[in-house]
């Protein structure tokens, strides 16, 4: 079914990739037609000097990873849902993930896009150029717009060379202040080889143990940190890493740690962090928050809520991409409760706005978070977003009820 057909008949559509989003961005609300990218799953080209991959929107992230890794490159994006998410959906939601610290946002690594506009016009901006300063960078409008301005059908993405030496350290820290100090020490001592700095609290570890039977690889601690290094000379990286570990263990910032250099153990340590979401979903109803906060206040909100909620919540957990200033705050309960929701919201959003943080660091707004946009953007920005929507989708057929706040 073409978009032109839908446009002529005023039929609303919900573009959908792997349907792995966290905010209901790809699920229809009423009677929207699902436009799936599943059959658009071809790799168009890969250039083995520049590392530029051009592919259709429905390619599964993990399959793309495998394809470029066989050729000595990596996709600059990695996330827990890699086995089913589609690259088109990743770009449409500007997914962050686990490699953000090293390779930055898709806003930098996506070089070009092909997009079908609301009336069916095909906008071919599928360039593979690193530099192209010819006026407005239109692709940026579609990256992160969650299918509300156009449907991404193909992407051109810059893949960096595959690092030949990867190490993962999993550490236990006695407090959040020590986690932050470990991060500072790590940045100073590991420098350019640091490729991920993730953290999780003791509650997360308890849940992955309870629901997924994953064992904690170090002594029990209030906080855990996963550090990944990616470099080009194993000996050099190992030397740097051992110097760093000696320092953090010696100074008491870290109480226990384990190191992995082989693929199997690296995967096992990453699973503890990547599968937290899965463990949470087995714990009951989950209230999810994905926030950008200043690093020194990042965990205060978790402790604060744990005290506020007391026995009303089953678990209050904090984890996330510490190196990117991104906290995942999740609260579980036996079942959904309006009173628990009332204690959480708007409290969490007001708290975040006071820190000038973001109410959606990487998951987008979709259906669930669209009405909290105002906590992170001024009214003038909201108005301009509405104007852009009206310009690109005057009939409002593209992913309605998503991203933009409900008009009152
Ligand atoms: O479930 C969540 O809140 C976070 C999911 C994902 O972004 C992660 O980093 O694991
Ligand atoms: Zn995340």
């Amino acid at each position: 079914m073409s978009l032109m057909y839908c446009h002529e008949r005023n039929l609303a559509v919900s573009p959908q990739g792997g349907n792995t989003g966290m905010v209901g961005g790809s699920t229809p609300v009423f009677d929207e037609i699902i436009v799936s990218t599943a059959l658009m799953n071809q790799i168009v080209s890969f250039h083995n000097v520049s590392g530029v991959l051009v592919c259709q929107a429905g390619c599964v992230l993990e399959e793309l990873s495998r394809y470029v890794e066989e050729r000595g490159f990596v996709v600059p994006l990695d996330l827990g849902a890699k086995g089913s998410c589609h690259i088109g959906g990743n770009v449409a939601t500007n997914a962050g993930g686990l490699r953000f610290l090293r390779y930055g946002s898709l806003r930098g690594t996506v070089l070009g896009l092909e997009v079908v506009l609301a009336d069916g016009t095909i906008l071919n901006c599928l360039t593979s150029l690193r530099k192209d300063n010819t006026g407005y960078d239109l692709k940026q409008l579609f990256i992160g717009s969650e299918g509300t301005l156009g449907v991404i059908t193909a992407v051109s993405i810059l893949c960096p060379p595959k690092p030949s030496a990867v190490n993962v350290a999993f550490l236990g820290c006695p407090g959040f202040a020590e986690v932050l100090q470990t991060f500072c020490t790590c940045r100073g001592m590991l420098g350019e080889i640091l490729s991920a700095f993730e953290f999780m609290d003791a509650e997360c570890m308890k849940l992955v143990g309870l629901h997924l039977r994953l064992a904690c690889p170090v002594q029990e601690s209030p906080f855990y940190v996963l550090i990944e290094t990616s470099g080009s000379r194993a000996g050099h990286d190992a030397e740097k890493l051992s110097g760093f570990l000696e320092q953090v263990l010696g100074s008491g910032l870290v109480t226990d740690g384990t190191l992995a250099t082989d693929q199997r153990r690296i995967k096992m340590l990453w699973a503890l962090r990547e599968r937290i979401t899965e463990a949470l979903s087995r714990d009951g109803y989950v209230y999810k928050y994905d926030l950008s906060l200043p690093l020194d206040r990042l965990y205060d909100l978790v402790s604060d809520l744990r005290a506020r909620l007391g026995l009303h919540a089953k678990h209050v957990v904090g984890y996330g991409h510490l190196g990117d200033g991104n906290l995942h705050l999740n609260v579980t309960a036996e079942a959904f409760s309006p009173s628990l929701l009332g204690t959480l919201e708007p409290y969490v959003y007001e708290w975040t706005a006071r820190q000038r943080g973001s109410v959606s660091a990487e998951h987008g707004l979709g259906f669930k978070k669209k009405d909290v946009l105002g906590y992170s953007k001024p009214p003038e920005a909201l108005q301009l977003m509405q104007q852009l929507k009206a310009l690109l989708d005057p009939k409002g057929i593209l992913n309605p009820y998503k991203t933009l706040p409900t008009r009152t």
Side-chain angles (χ1 to χ4, degrees):
M1 177 164 327
S2 76
L3 268 178
M4 196 190 295
Y5 180 96
C6 295
H7 190 252
E8 277 164 9
R9 288 161 182 78
N10 295 327
L11 299 171
V13 300
S14 262
Q16 191 177 93
N19 205 12
T20 58
M22 318 288 305
V23 288
S26 63
T27 39
V29 181
F30 295 111
D31 55 358
E32 301 91 283
I33 296 163
I34 296 176
V35 175
S36 168
T37 51
L39 296 178
M40 292 186 273
N41 61 356
Q42 299 299 306
I43 290 176
V44 179
S45 63
F46 181 71
H47 196 276
N48 61 10
V49 176
S50 64
V52 176
L53 170 74
V54 180
C55 64
Q56 294 182 329
C59 291
V60 171
L61 180 60
E62 195 165 48
E63 283 162 21
L64 290 178
S65 276
R66 204 171 303 128
Y67 179 91
V68 301
E69 285 191 27
E70 279 164 10
R71 288 155 181 82
F73 290 80
V74 289
V75 180
L77 174 75
D78 184 28
L79 38 88
K82 55 183 154 265
S84 37
C85 63
H86 295 184
I87 192 71
N90 295 145
V91 175
T93 56
N94 187 26
L98 308 164
R99 291 186 178 152
F100 193 101
L101 183 70
R102 163 61 65 93
Y103 302 118
S105 156
L106 287 172
R107 294 195 181 279
T109 50
V110 170
L111 302 178
L113 290 181
E114 179 191 74
V115 180
V116 181
L117 302 180
D119 64 359
T121 305
I122 297 172
L123 181 70
N124 186 344
C125 290
L126 202 54
T127 162
S128 292
L129 305 168
R130 282 302 296 276
K131 299 180 87 172
D132 176 17
N133 215 358
T134 52
Y136 304 151
D137 189 359
L138 295 176
K139 68 170 183 284
Q140 298 295 354
L141 270 181
F142 303 98
I143 301 175
S145 69
E146 305 178 282
T148 60
L149 301 179
V151 181
I152 296 173
T153 47
V155 306
S156 156
I157 183 163
L158 183 65
C159 297
K162 186 177 162 151
S164 48
V166 177
N167 294 297
V168 167
F170 198 93
L171 315 172
C173 290
F176 192 70
E178 286 81 2
V179 171
L180 292 182
Q181 277 305 312
T182 304
F183 180 51
C184 293
T185 312
C186 177
R187 281 220 286 203
M189 293 186 74
L190 300 179
E192 78 293 346
I193 65 167
L194 175 65
S195 57
F197 194 104
E198 299 283 321
F199 93 103
M200 57 197 272
D201 63 14
E203 293 282 277
C204 293
M205 187 61 88
K206 184 174 129 190
L207 292 178
V208 294
L210 186 68
H211 298 297
L212 309 174
R213 303 260 158 249
L214 300 180
C216 177
V218 295
Q219 248 174 51
E220 268 187 37
S221 313
F223 291 93
Y224 302 92
V225 160
L226 184 152
I227 295 171
E228 184 193 73
T229 64
S230 304
S232 56
R233 242 182 46 219
H236 169 261
D237 294 6
E239 198 180 304
K240 275 187 146 180
L241 205 50
S242 69
F244 160 74
L245 288 177
E246 214 170 286
Q247 169 71 27
V248 288
L249 281 160
S251 60
L253 292 179
V254 164
T255 34
D256 190 22
T258 180
L259 199 58
T261 44
D262 68 284
Q263 274 267 354
R264 197 190 54 86
R265 256 185 70 77
I266 287 179
K267 264 190 129 149
M268 195 195 85
L269 294 179
W270 263 117
L272 292 162
R273 163 62 189 86
E274 275 186 74
R275 296 183 66 193
I276 298 171
T277 301
E278 193 185 330
L280 283 160
S281 66
R282 297 190 192 187
D283 200 51
Y285 183 85
V286 193
Y287 301 83
K288 283 186 172 293
Y289 303 94
D290 163 38
L291 313 165
S292 268
L293 290 168
L295 279 180
D296 54 337
R297 299 298 311 273
L298 191 121
Y299 200 74
D300 289 354
L301 180 59
V302 184
S303 315
D304 177 347
L305 276 177
R306 204 170 273 145
R308 268 175 82 89
L309 296 174
L311 294 174
H312 295 291
K314 218 170 149 187
H315 292 105
V316 179
V317 310
Y319 63 105
H321 317 286
L322 189 110
D324 309 322
N326 181 184
L327 169 72
H328 292 313
L329 160 68
N330 283 226
V331 176
T332 64
E334 285 307 342
F336 172 77
S337 133
S339 82
L340 186 50
L341 183 66
T343 316
L344 286 164
E345 299 177 18
Y347 184 81
V348 169
Y349 299 124
E350 285 170 351
W351 199 98
T352 303
R354 273 200 301 279
Q355 309 302 321
R356 307 204 53 133
S358 171
V359 291
S360 182
E362 62 168 2
H363 294 162
L365 298 164
F367 181 66
K368 293 191 185 158
K369 306 281 175 180
K370 65 183 193 311
D371 291 316
V372 298
L373 171 60
Y375 288 99
S376 292
K377 278 199 169 65
E380 297 75 16
L382 255 77
Q383 201 190 345
L384 191 53
M385 284 173 71
Q386 303 275 14
Q387 287 166 344
L388 283 168
K389 172 73 175 172
L391 176 74
L392 283 162
D393 181 21
K395 289 188 171 187
I397 65 161
L398 290 176
N399 220 8
Y401 330 108
K402 314 284 170 60
T403 312
L404 297 165
T406 320
R407 291 217 210 213
T408 43

